[in-house]
Amino acid sequence: YPSSKVYHDTKRGLYFYLKGDNWEVGASLPSKLQAGMGSYVNLELDTDKPYLHHAEHVKKHPPGHFKNKHKKKHKWG
């Protein structure tokens, strides 16, 4: 979810999200993040820490990029 800086690992059922300057991990998201997640992008990654490549993902899938173009299901992470 580019606009929210959230990754969801569907296989492990984990969320990775930016909290301040640090990445947090959990089985659920804080309620303030759940409200406006926005569009998502599917990524296939060979890592258990998707946020390590966050700068690269932002360049390829900038927040808001899919806002009006795609309402399909995409997952960032």
Side-chain angles (χ1 to χ4, degrees):
Y1 299 87
S3 297
S4 300
K5 298 179 180 118
V6 171
Y7 292 91
H8 182 228
D9 184 331
T10 56
K11 289 182 181 179
R12 295 187 295 163
L14 295 174
Y15 290 93
F16 301 88
Y17 55 95
L18 197 56
K19 184 175 180 182
D21 292 333
N22 300 309
W23 287 93
E24 299 283 330
V25 62
S28 62
L29 290 171
S31 57
K32 67 180 181 177
L33 284 177
Q34 293 175 10
M37 296 282 286
S39 298
Y40 59 90
V41 178
N42 280 324
L43 299 176
E44 291 193 31
L45 305 172
D46 290 329
T47 181
D48 59 350
K49 297 176 183 174
Y51 52 85
L52 294 178
H53 305 283
H54 183 68
E56 178 185 329
H57 301 155
V58 170
K59 286 180 185 175
K60 287 185 178 180
H61 309 284
H65 179 74
F66 296 102
K67 191 172 185 178
N68 294 321
K69 293 181 182 178
H70 303 285
K71 290 291 182 179
K72 291 181 179 180
K73 292 184 178 181
H74 296 278
K75 258 184 235 173
W76 214 38

